[in-house]
Amino acid sequence: MKKIFVTLFALGFITISCDTKKVDEKISSEIKELKDTLDLKKDTVYVHNEQFADVTLNKQFEDLQGNKITFKDLIAKHKGTPVLIDVWASWCPDCIKGFPELKKVQEKYPKTSFVFLSLDKTTDKWKESIKKYDLKGNHYYLNEKMKDEFGKSIELDWIPRYILVDAEGNIALKKAIVANDTLLLKTLDKLQP
């Protein structure tokens, strides 16, 4: 029994003494990018003004009626207003948990277009979830997984993923993972007509 106790104690000590502070550079930079700073001021928000990649713009989605539309045409459809894109799926618990907060954002920013891009496994699950969670906005389906072509083109590593597009169709904010992210809200404030 004493040998077992000593062995367990030694293993515990080794585990605790391992360097747990090593963080991948990419993860570290993303954490800094996503850091929710409460002291942001409206006039200090930087709007990225980036363009989507061609592979992203040419990706075809399906609307609720089964019609095909490219991402480029989907964005052009909302030209003149800011667009908040929510990349989500019905199998994603964080997506579902975020819907109440997203609905508050919709109430606060009625002049913003809300576009939902689903990565669901089937169109049936996608359509059921829209009704179940009473999601208001424009809905599109893409039969791909997160790490497929579209996901890679927008560097998708987590859903929900919120992308904010300005009235001209440029990327104003490329990554937020919660709907009440301070930087997302401040950028939305700045983009309001």
Side-chain angles (χ1 to χ4, degrees):
M1 184 69 165
K2 189 175 182 179
K3 284 183 182 180
I4 293 172
F5 178 76
V6 170
T7 304
L8 288 173
F9 179 77
L11 285 172
F13 182 76
I14 291 169
T15 303
I16 291 170
S17 67
C18 289
D19 186 4
T20 58
K21 294 184 180 181
K22 290 184 180 178
V23 178
D24 177 24
E25 267 185 45
K26 183 172 176 111
I27 294 172
S28 179
S29 70
E30 287 182 3
I31 289 170
K32 287 178 188 172
E33 185 179 317
L34 293 173
K35 191 172 181 183
D36 194 19
T37 54
L38 298 175
D39 58 348
L40 285 174
K41 295 180 180 148
K42 185 176 181 177
D43 58 348
T44 62
V45 173
Y46 173 71
V47 177
H48 291 277
N49 211 17
E50 293 178 38
Q51 301 292 315
F52 286 102
D54 285 341
V55 67
T56 309
L57 292 171
N58 294 321
K59 187 53 68 175
Q60 282 203 339
F61 288 80
E62 182 180 320
D63 67 15
L64 287 167
Q65 291 75 37
N67 302 312
K68 302 287 183 192
I69 184 170
T70 63
F71 187 76
K72 180 180 181 178
D73 291 338
L74 187 153
I75 294 299
K77 192 174 171 181
H78 300 284
K79 195 168 185 169
T81 64
V83 180
L84 181 59
I85 298 170
D86 180 358
V87 183
W88 71 288
S90 66
W91 49 261
C92 166
D94 289 338
C95 298
I96 294 164
K97 286 179 197 171
F99 290 149
E101 198 59 49
L102 182 63
K103 288 178 181 183
K104 290 177 189 173
V105 174
Q106 286 178 311
E107 288 175 21
K108 185 175 178 181
Y109 300 98
K111 294 181 181 176
T112 298
S113 296
F114 290 84
V115 172
F116 294 85
L117 303 179
S118 174
L119 299 177
D120 261 296
K121 295 177 182 176
T122 67
T123 56
D124 290 341
K125 288 283 186 191
W126 166 54
K127 290 177 181 179
E128 286 172 22
S129 296
I130 292 168
K131 288 179 185 172
K132 180 177 181 180
Y133 299 108
D134 192 30
L135 301 177
K136 306 290 186 215
N138 298 276
H139 296 276
Y140 302 94
Y141 173 77
L142 180 63
N143 189 16
E144 285 190 10
K145 295 178 182 166
M146 283 178 51
K147 297 295 179 186
D148 286 344
E149 190 176 55
F150 180 76
K152 286 179 184 175
S153 76
I154 62 167
E155 300 173 17
L156 187 63
D157 57 0
W158 191 265
I159 57 173
R161 167 75 167 279
Y162 302 99
I163 302 169
L164 189 54
V165 178
D166 68 17
E168 286 75 44
N170 302 310
I171 304 168
L173 181 68
K174 69 193 296 187
K175 186 173 188 178
I177 59 171
V178 291
N180 62 351
D181 179 270
T182 301
L183 184 57
L184 175 70
L185 298 177
K186 294 292 184 183
T187 307
L188 258 172
D189 285 339
K190 193 167 187 171
L191 294 178
Q192 292 306 296

